[in-house]
């Protein structure tokens, strides 16, 4: 992840990319990486990582839904189509500290990745590497090593199997067995 790039905050999270220009007044068509892009709607400080590796801060004045899953954003200093096209393909980052607060018991996926999953008996089940959205529920993709080989187990991220998420401790307690 390019948090090391000059100009990005140390807690930068990639949230989308600039797909194209929108209209003639410099608006940007954004492809968000989340089906629920709350951070893009609430944060006004975005950071664009351009193709050459340089960064550009973006001060968002307006963001709205467009057709499909895309968003349209207006940004200070980008006043025409040519200026917007110059940003096409840039990856968008937001500082994690700028994400809106969530209600108790809800989590951003980025905060779950890297947590250790331990069952009720204290058996280490592995580390969260990804999450899947299956429609009915979210599923933790947990990586572990067995006989020298990297493997994965899938654990539904629902109350029936997840007892507790302890972000400060870096663990998720699950009602799950290694042989499931």
């Amino acid at each position: 992840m390019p948090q090391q790039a000059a100009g990005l905050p140390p807690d930068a999270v990639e949230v989308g990319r600039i797909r194209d220009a929108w209209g003639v007044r410099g608006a940007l068509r954004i492809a968000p990486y989340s089906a629920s892009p709350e951070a893009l709607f609430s944060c006004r400080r975005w950071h664009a990582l351009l193709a050459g590796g340089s960064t550009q801060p973006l001060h968002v004045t307006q963001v709205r839904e467009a057709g499909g899953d895309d968003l349209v954003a207006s940004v200070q200093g980008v006043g025409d189509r040519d200026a917007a096209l110059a940003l096409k393909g840039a990856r968008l980052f937001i500082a994690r500290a700028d994400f809106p607060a969530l209600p108790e018991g809800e989590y951003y996926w980025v905060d779950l990745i890297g947590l250790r999953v331990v069952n009720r008996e204290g058996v280490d089940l592995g580390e969260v590497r990804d999450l899947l959205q299956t429609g009915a529920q979210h599923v933790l993709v947990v990586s572990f090593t067995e006989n020298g080989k990297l493997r994965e187990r899938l654990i539904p991220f629902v109350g029936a199997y997840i007892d507790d998420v302890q972000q400060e401790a870096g663990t998720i307690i699950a009602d799950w067995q290694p042989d499931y």
Side-chain angles (χ1 to χ4, degrees):
M1 191 164 199
Q3 278 99 336
Q4 307 86 339
L8 288 182
D11 63 343
V13 176
E14 190 169 354
V15 293
R17 69 179 174 81
I18 299 174
R19 185 187 304 270
D20 208 345
W22 178 270
V24 295
R25 295 189 179 146
L28 305 170
R29 186 174 186 103
I30 308 297
Y33 292 157
S34 171
S36 302
E38 294 91 359
L40 285 164
F41 281 111
S42 66
C43 298
R44 295 299 177 210
R45 293 180 297 174
W46 298 358
H47 303 271
L49 181 60
L50 306 174
S54 63
T55 59
Q56 179 176 337
L58 301 176
H59 301 283
V60 180
T61 58
Q62 181 185 25
V63 64
R64 63 180 173 81
E65 293 181 358
D69 295 329
D70 287 354
L71 306 176
V72 172
S74 297
V75 177
Q76 284 180 354
V78 180
D80 61 37
R81 186 168 182 81
D82 291 336
L85 284 171
L87 295 171
K88 183 178 177 178
R91 298 163 57 193
L92 294 175
F93 293 81
I94 296 176
R96 174 60 186 91
D98 290 341
F99 279 34
L102 290 174
E104 179 80 22
E106 291 188 25
Y107 306 93
Y108 287 109
W109 285 18
V110 68
D111 295 334
L112 299 176
I113 293 174
L115 297 183
R116 300 297 304 177
V117 180
V118 179
N119 72 9
R120 291 176 174 175
E121 293 77 30
V123 175
D124 187 339
L125 300 173
E127 181 177 318
V128 178
R129 291 287 181 205
D130 199 0
L131 285 102
L132 302 174
Q133 187 169 354
T134 64
Q137 63 201 7
H138 300 305
V139 177
L140 299 172
V141 178
V142 180
S143 294
F144 64 99
T145 303
E146 182 178 72
N147 299 326
K149 293 184 179 181
L150 188 62
R151 300 193 183 271
E152 292 180 340
R153 61 175 45 101
L154 303 177
I155 302 174
F157 191 67
V158 294
Y161 300 112
I162 303 300
D163 293 337
D164 195 14
V165 176
Q166 302 170 345
Q167 284 184 273
E168 299 78 27
T171 59
I172 296 173
I173 309 299
D175 181 13
W176 202 260
Q177 296 302 316
D179 58 348
Y180 287 179

